[in-house]
C-alpha cells in the first residue's frame, strides 16, 4: 500500500512532516536499525517519509507541533536510542524495571491528585490514570500504559512470516481480525500472491462482523457508564448474539485465525445461509436497540457535550477511526485507500461534527447500519463460490506498510522481511493512536464522567502495549 | 449463613492478556450468563474479593501489582487462571518477552484453558472456586479455607476443560 517514499535528513523531519500533514493524516512513526519512518494515510495509499539516523545529527522531533506522535517518538527514543532534538515529553514511555515514570500532574490551591490503576475495579486491562482535579472538575489527566507490554515485536523478529499469523491474531483480542487482515495483506504484498475475489469478499464479511460486535459493545458500555442498566443489558445481549454469529461464520467467537496469509481458514463461511439468517435477526434487534437509545432523553442529555474533542484537537492528536469522524474528520481507510473487496464494494463513510460522546455513538450507529448493508451485499456477491487459498511464498527480501480500517480506526502493519524471515514488524493500533485523545477529551469534565468519556472511545491496551 | 457460602466476590487481574479473555469475562455481566443470579459479583476492591481471576502470560510491569492485589485479598481465597496464556502461555509459550503464565507465577489452583475460554467455561471454573471456598461437595478444599491458607506461591494447577 506504499504509494511513495520520500527521504530527508534528520534535521528536516519536522518541516517535512508538517508538509505531509497538508495532504493527509498521520498513521504513526517507528524506528528500525535502518532509521526512522513517519507514515501518512493519503488518497490511494500510504506515504512514507524516512530519515537515516546519524549519530552526529539528532532527528527534529515532530511531537512539539504534532503532539499526537509523542508516544511514537518516545518509544523510538527508548527502544532504538534515536536522539531527538526538542522532545517535549522525554519521560521513558513504558515502565522501566516495573516502575513507570512519574505522572504529569496539575498543582495549585484546591487541586488534588487521584491515581487509578494499574489494576482496575472491573474487567479492564491494566493502565495508570492520574487525575488532577479541583473539586469535581478534572484539571488534567495523565494516562500511562506499558503494563501489558509483552515485547511482541522483538520476539517476532527472526520468525517465518507465515508461522507468525496466530501470534499476530493474538496481539489484541478485540481487533484481531482487522490486524490479521492487515498482516495477511502485508505478507501477500511482499510475496506477490494473488488473492481470488471470493476470498476478498469473505474477508470483508469477517472484518465487518468484527466492527458489528465492537460497535454494539461500545453502545452497551456507554449506556452502562451513563447509568442506564437496561441499555447495558440489552447491548450485552446483542453483543452475545454477534459473537455467536462470528462463531457460526468462522468457528471462533472473536474471529481469531479466520484470516490467514493466502486466504481464510478452512471452514470459514461454510454455512452461509445460517450466518445470513442470524445477521438479519441481529440487525432487526439492533434497530430496536438504537430506537430505545435515541428515545431516552436523559441518556442523550448525558452523552451530549460530554468528552468533547474539537476538530483541531483531533487533528493535532492524529486521532483515527470513529472518534476522528465524530469530530468532523473525513478519513476512513476503507474509503481513502480501499483494499480487498472495498475496491469494488465501497462503504458509505459516516461523519458527525459534535466531537462529544453522542457524536461518537452516532457515528458508530451509522457504521453499524452500513456494516449490515456491506455484509448483505457481500453475501450476494459471494454466492456459493469456493474460498480457495492462494500459495504464499515469501521472497528473500521485502518491505511494505499496510493499513485497514478496524473498529477503532486505522490498524497499521509495517513489515520487513530479509533472508525469508521477519527482520522487523511494527504494529500501530487505532487504540495506540487514540489514547492521548481520551486524556485530552476527559480534561474539563467532571470526575464521574471520566468512565463515560473513556468508554465512548472504548480502546484496548493490549495492542497499544504490544 | 450457609446459603451465602457460595456467593463469591470476584476480583479480576489482567497480567498481559490480549483482551480476548476480558471480552468473554465481560459477558458474565450480561443477560445470557448473568452471574448475579448466583449471588456472584465482580467487586471493585480486592478487599471485597474471595476469588481472583487472572489472565495473561505475565508481564514484567504486572508482577508487583499482581502480588500486591493478591496480598490485599483476605483469606480464604481461590485464584482461578483464565485462558491459555495464564494456564501455559498459549501461543506465546517460550517467548522471551513474557513470564511463565499467571497460573504458575501466582499459584492458581483452578485452570480454565481456552483461547479464550467461552463464558460458560469461565462460569464452570468459578463454580469450582465457589465449591472450593464453601461448598459441601468439596470437604478437602473447605479444610483449606478454614485454615486460611492462601496457596500463593503454589505451582499446583489442575487443568480441566470445563463444560
Amino acid at each position: 500500500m506504499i504509494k511513495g517514499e520520500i527521504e530527508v535528513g534528520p534535521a528536516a523531519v519536522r518541516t517535512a512532516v508538517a508538509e505531509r500533514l497538508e495532504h493527509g493524516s498521520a498513521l504513526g512513526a517507528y524506528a528500525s536499525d535502518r532509521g526512522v519512518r513517519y507514515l501518512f494515510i493519503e488518497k490511494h495509499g500510504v506515504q512514507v517519509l524516512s530519515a537515516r539516523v546519524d549519530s552526529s545529527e539528532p532527528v527534529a522531533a515532530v511531537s512539539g507541533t504534532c503532539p499526537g506522535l509523542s508516544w511514537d517518538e518516545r518509544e523510538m527514543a527508548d527502544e532504538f536510542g534515536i536522539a531527538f532534538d526538542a522532545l517535549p515529553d522525554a519521560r521513558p514511555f513504558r515502565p522501566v524495571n516495573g516502575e513507570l515514570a512519574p505522572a504529569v500532574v496539575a498543582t495549585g490551591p484546591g487541586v488534588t491528585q487521584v491515581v487509578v490503576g494499574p489494576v482496575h475495579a472491573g474487567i479492564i486491562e491494566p493502565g495508570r490514570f492520574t487525575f488532577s482535579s479541583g473539586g469535581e472538575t478534572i484539571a488534567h489527566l495523565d494516562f500511562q500504559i506499558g503494563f501489558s507490554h509483552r515485547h511482541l515485536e522483538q520476539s517476532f523478529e527472526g520468525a517465518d512470516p507465515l508461522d507468525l499469523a496466530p501470534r499476530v491474531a493474538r496481539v489484541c483480542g478485540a481487533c484481531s481480525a482487522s490486524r490479521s487482515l492487515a498482516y495477511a495483506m502485508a505478507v501477500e504484498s511482499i510475496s506477490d500472491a494473488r488473492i481470488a475475489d471470493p476470498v476478498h469478499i469473505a474477508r470483508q464479511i469477517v472484518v465487518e462482523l468484527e466492527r458489528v460486535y465492537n460497535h454494539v459493545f461500545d453502545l452497551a458500555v456507554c449506556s452502562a457508564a451513563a447509568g442506564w442498566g437496561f441499555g447495558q443489558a440489552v447491548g450485552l445481549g446483542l453483543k452475545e448474539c454477534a459473537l455467536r454469529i462470528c462463531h457460526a461464520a468462522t468457528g471462533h467467537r472473536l474471529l481469531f485465525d479466520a484470516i490467514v496469509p493466502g486466504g481464510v481458514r478452512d471452514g470459514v463461511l461454510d454455512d452461509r445461509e445460517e450466518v445470513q439468517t442470524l445477521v438479519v435477526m441481529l440487525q432487526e434487534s439492533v434497530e430496536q436497540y438504537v430506537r430505545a437509545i435515541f428515545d431516552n432523553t436523559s441518556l442523550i442529555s448525558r452523552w451530549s457535550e460530554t468528552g468533547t474533542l474539537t476538530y483541531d484537537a483531533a487533528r493535532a492528536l492524529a486521532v483515527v477511526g470513529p472518534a476522528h469522524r465524530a469530530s468532523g474528520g473525513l478519513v476512513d481507510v476503507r474509503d481513502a485507500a480501499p483494499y480487498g473487496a472495498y475496491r469494488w464494494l465501497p462503504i458509505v463513510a459516516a461523519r458527525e461534527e459534535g466531537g462529544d460522546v453522542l457524536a461518537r455513538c452516532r457515528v458508530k450507529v451509522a457504521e453499524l447500519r452500513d456494516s449490515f448493508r456491506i455484509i448483505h451485499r457481500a453475501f450476494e456477491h459471494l454466492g456459493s463460490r469456493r474460498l480457495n487459498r492462494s500459495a504464499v511464498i515469501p521472497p528473500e527480501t521485502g518491505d511494505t506498510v499496510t493499513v485497514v480500517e478496524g473498529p477503532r480506526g486505522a490498524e497499521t502493519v509495517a513489515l520487513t522481511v530479509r533472508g525469508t524471515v521477519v527482520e522487523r514488524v511494527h504494529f500501530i493500533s487505532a487504540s495506540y493512536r487514540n489514547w492521548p485523545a481520551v486524556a485530552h477529551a476527559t480534561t474539563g469534565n467532571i470526575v464521574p464522567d471520566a468512565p463515560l468519556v473513556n468508554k465512548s472511545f472504548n480502546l484496548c491496551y493490549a495492542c497499544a502495549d504490544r | 449463613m450457609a446459603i451465602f457460602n457460595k456467593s463469591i466476590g470476584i476480583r479480576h487481574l489482567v497480567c498481559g492478556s490480549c483482551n480476548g479473555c476480558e471480552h468473554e469475562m465481560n459477558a458474565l455481566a450480561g443477560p445470557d450468563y448473568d452471574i448475579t443470579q448466583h449471588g456472584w459479583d465482580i467487586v471493585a476492591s480486592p478487599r471485597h474479593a474471595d476469588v481472583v481471576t487472572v489472565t495473561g502470560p505475565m508481564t514484567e510491569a504486572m508482577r508487583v501489582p499482581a502480588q500486591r492485589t493478591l496480598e490485599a485479598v483476605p483469606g480464604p481465597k481461590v485464584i482461578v487462571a483464565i485462558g491459555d496464556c495464564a494456564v501455559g502461555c498459549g501461543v506465546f509459550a517460550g517467548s522471551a518477552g513474557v513470564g511463565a503464565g499467571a497460573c504458575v507465577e501466582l499459584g492458581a489452583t483452578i485452570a480454565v484453558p481456552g483461547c479464550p475460554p467461552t463464558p460458560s467455561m469461565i462460569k464452570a471454573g468459578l463454580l469450582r472456586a465457589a465449591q472450593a471456598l464453601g461448598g459441601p461437595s468439596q470437604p478437602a478444599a473447605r479444610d483449606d479455607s478454614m485454615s486460611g491458607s492462601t496457596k500463593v506461591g503454589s505451582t499446583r494447577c489442575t487443568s480441566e476443560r470445563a463444560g
Side-chain angles (χ1 to χ4, degrees), chain A residues 384-423:
Chain A
S384 57
R385 286 189 282 173
R386 290 170 59 86
L387 303 174
N388 295 325
R389 215 179 295 169
S390 308
V392 179
I393 304 152
E396 193 67 24
T397 61
D399 172 66
T400 193
V401 176
T402 51
V403 53
V404 306
E405 183 76 26
R408 292 162 189 80
E411 299 294 348
T412 308
V413 172
L415 176 67
T416 307
V417 171
R418 208 158 298 269
T420 70
V421 298
V422 172
E423 180 186 82

Side-chain angles (χ1 to χ4, degrees), chain A residues 147 170 173 239-240 252-253, chain B residues 18-19 23-24 33 59 115:
Chain A
F147 296 94
R170 287 157 182 81
K239 181 196 175 194
E240 177 64 21
H252 195 284
R253 283 162 57 88
Chain B
C18 78
N19 202 14
H23 269 266
E24 296 297 42
Y33 305 98
T59 59
C115 185

Side-chain angles (χ1 to χ4, degrees), chain A residues 4-213:
Chain A
E5 181 158 5
I6 305 167
E7 194 166 332
V8 297
V13 166
R14 190 181 305 142
T15 322
V17 166
E19 266 171 37
R20 284 330 303 180
L21 286 172
E22 301 289 321
H23 302 93
S25 305
L27 287 172
Y30 73 104
S32 69
D33 293 336
R34 295 163 198 280
V36 296
R37 272 179 152 187
Y38 289 74
L39 309 175
F40 306 86
I41 181 79
E42 295 181 3
K43 207 77 195 154
H44 309 306
V46 176
Q47 178 69 42
V48 178
L49 191 140
S50 57
R52 297 214 171 275
V53 178
D54 182 339
S55 56
S56 64
E57 198 178 3
V59 176
V62 170
S63 43
T65 44
C66 184
L69 295 180
S70 173
W71 281 15
D72 308 62
E73 292 191 331
R74 287 166 65 190
E75 205 182 332
M76 288 192 267
D78 290 353
E79 303 217 336
F80 281 84
I82 306 294
F84 283 101
D85 173 24
L87 206 56
D89 182 352
R91 291 177 297 166
F93 177 56
R94 296 199 176 95
V96 179
N97 299 323
E99 286 293 320
L100 266 182
V104 172
V105 296
T107 53
V111 178
T112 52
Q113 284 87 36
V114 178
V115 182
V116 182
V119 183
H120 294 139
I123 302 162
I124 306 164
E125 298 172 89
R128 189 171 82 179
F129 294 78
T130 305
F131 293 93
S132 303
S133 67
E136 269 205 314
T137 306
I138 298 162
H140 184 72
L141 167 58
D142 193 13
F143 173 63
Q144 295 167 281
I145 61 166
F147 296 94
S148 285
H149 182 44
R150 291 158 286 168
H151 301 268
L152 292 184
E153 292 180 0
Q154 294 93 320
S155 71
F156 289 174
E157 288 170 10
D160 179 308
L162 297 176
D163 291 347
L164 213 46
R167 280 175 279 172
V168 171
R170 287 157 182 81
V171 168
C172 182
C175 36
S176 172
S178 297
R179 186 161 298 100
S180 288
L181 175 58
Y183 182 73
M185 283 162 51
V187 175
E188 290 155 7
S189 158
I190 58 174
S191 311
D192 278 329
R194 282 182 58 83
I195 302 303
D197 284 355
V199 170
H200 281 308
I201 299 170
R203 286 173 166 186
Q204 186 179 52
I205 293 170
V206 172
V207 292
E208 290 302 326
L209 284 174
E210 183 168 72
R211 196 177 325 279
V212 167
Y213 94 69

Side-chain angles (χ1 to χ4, degrees), chain A residues 141-389:
Chain A
L141 167 58
D142 193 13
F143 173 63
Q144 295 167 281
I145 61 166
F147 296 94
S148 285
H149 182 44
R150 291 158 286 168
H151 301 268
L152 292 184
E153 292 180 0
Q154 294 93 320
S155 71
F156 289 174
E157 288 170 10
D160 179 308
L162 297 176
D163 291 347
L164 213 46
R167 280 175 279 172
V168 171
R170 287 157 182 81
V171 168
C172 182
C175 36
S176 172
S178 297
R179 186 161 298 100
S180 288
L181 175 58
Y183 182 73
M185 283 162 51
V187 175
E188 290 155 7
S189 158
I190 58 174
S191 311
D192 278 329
R194 282 182 58 83
I195 302 303
D197 284 355
V199 170
H200 281 308
I201 299 170
R203 286 173 166 186
Q204 186 179 52
I205 293 170
V206 172
V207 292
E208 290 302 326
L209 284 174
E210 183 168 72
R211 196 177 325 279
V212 167
Y213 94 69
N214 272 287
H215 280 10
V216 167
F217 183 50
D218 288 4
L219 294 174
V221 292
C222 283
S223 299
W228 190 38
F230 175 77
Q232 179 193 14
V234 173
L236 288 179
L238 293 176
K239 181 196 175 194
E240 177 64 21
C241 292
L243 293 184
R244 289 178 189 186
I245 295 173
C246 292
H247 188 266
T250 69
H252 195 284
R253 283 162 57 88
L254 299 173
L255 308 166
F256 289 8
D257 307 319
I259 296 172
V260 293
V264 291
R265 185 173 58 181
D266 292 342
V268 165
L269 293 177
D270 270 0
D271 193 348
R272 293 174 201 176
E273 236 171 82
E274 165 80 357
V275 175
Q276 272 182 285
T277 309
L278 291 170
V279 170
V280 169
M281 287 164 62
L282 175 64
Q283 186 178 4
E284 285 167 4
S285 304
V286 166
E287 278 305 328
Q288 286 179 14
Y289 180 45
V290 168
R291 220 171 297 139
I293 285 172
F294 289 107
D295 280 350
N296 187 334
T297 314
S298 65
L299 178 77
I300 298 304
S301 164
R302 183 86 189 277
W303 284 3
S304 301
E305 293 169 36
T306 301
T308 302
L309 185 70
T310 64
Y311 175 79
D312 289 342
R315 191 164 168 73
L317 291 169
V319 172
V320 295
H324 159 81
R325 295 186 285 280
S327 293
L330 292 168
V331 179
D332 185 313
V333 181
R334 296 172 293 170
D335 176 49
Y339 47 90
Y342 296 106
R343 287 170 294 173
W344 71 96
L345 300 174
I347 63 145
V348 179
R351 186 163 177 256
E352 288 281 330
E353 303 274 352
D356 53 4
V357 173
L358 178 62
R360 285 187 282 281
C361 288
R362 278 192 194 282
V363 164
K364 286 172 192 169
V365 166
E367 292 185 357
L368 264 173
R369 289 176 169 150
D370 200 43
S371 288
F372 285 126
R373 184 187 65 86
I374 293 166
I375 291 168
H376 291 313
R377 185 186 54 190
F379 272 117
E380 277 172 31
H381 282 259
L382 185 58
S384 57
R385 286 189 282 173
R386 290 170 59 86
L387 303 174
N388 295 325
R389 215 179 295 169

Side-chain angles (χ1 to χ4, degrees), chain B residues 3-159:
Chain B
I3 60 166
F4 294 117
N5 266 354
K6 294 181 192 174
S7 31
I8 49 175
I10 302 155
R11 179 72 168 175
H12 187 55
L13 191 52
V14 186
C15 301
S17 153
C18 78
N19 202 14
C21 290
E22 281 57 46
H23 269 266
E24 296 297 42
M25 287 282 294
N26 264 307
L28 302 179
D32 295 84
Y33 305 98
D34 185 19
I35 55 167
T36 60
Q37 65 185 306
H38 307 294
W40 300 351
D41 199 7
I42 308 293
V43 294
S45 164
R47 303 282 185 209
H48 305 161
D50 312 291
V51 172
V52 181
T53 49
V54 295
T55 56
M58 185 54 79
T59 59
E60 287 156 15
M62 276 311 292
R63 279 211 174 87
V64 171
Q67 281 299 342
R68 282 191 189 151
T69 298
L70 292 180
E71 282 161 17
V73 176
K77 59 189 158 193
V78 172
I79 305 168
V80 182
I82 308 277
D84 284 350
C85 284
V87 172
C89 291
V91 296
F92 300 117
S95 165
V98 298
C103 182
V104 167
E105 296 213 14
L106 301 176
T109 52
I110 294 170
V112 184
C115 185
T118 63
S120 302
M121 292 159 72
I122 298 171
K123 245 180 120 165
L126 290 172
L127 181 61
R128 290 179 57 210
Q131 286 169 336
L133 278 166
S137 58
Q138 302 263 335
R142 176 177 243 188
D143 289 348
D144 262 345
S145 69
M146 294 299 283
S147 71
S149 83
T150 60
K151 291 182 185 151
V152 172
S154 153
T155 54
R156 192 156 52 93
C157 214
T158 55
S159 176

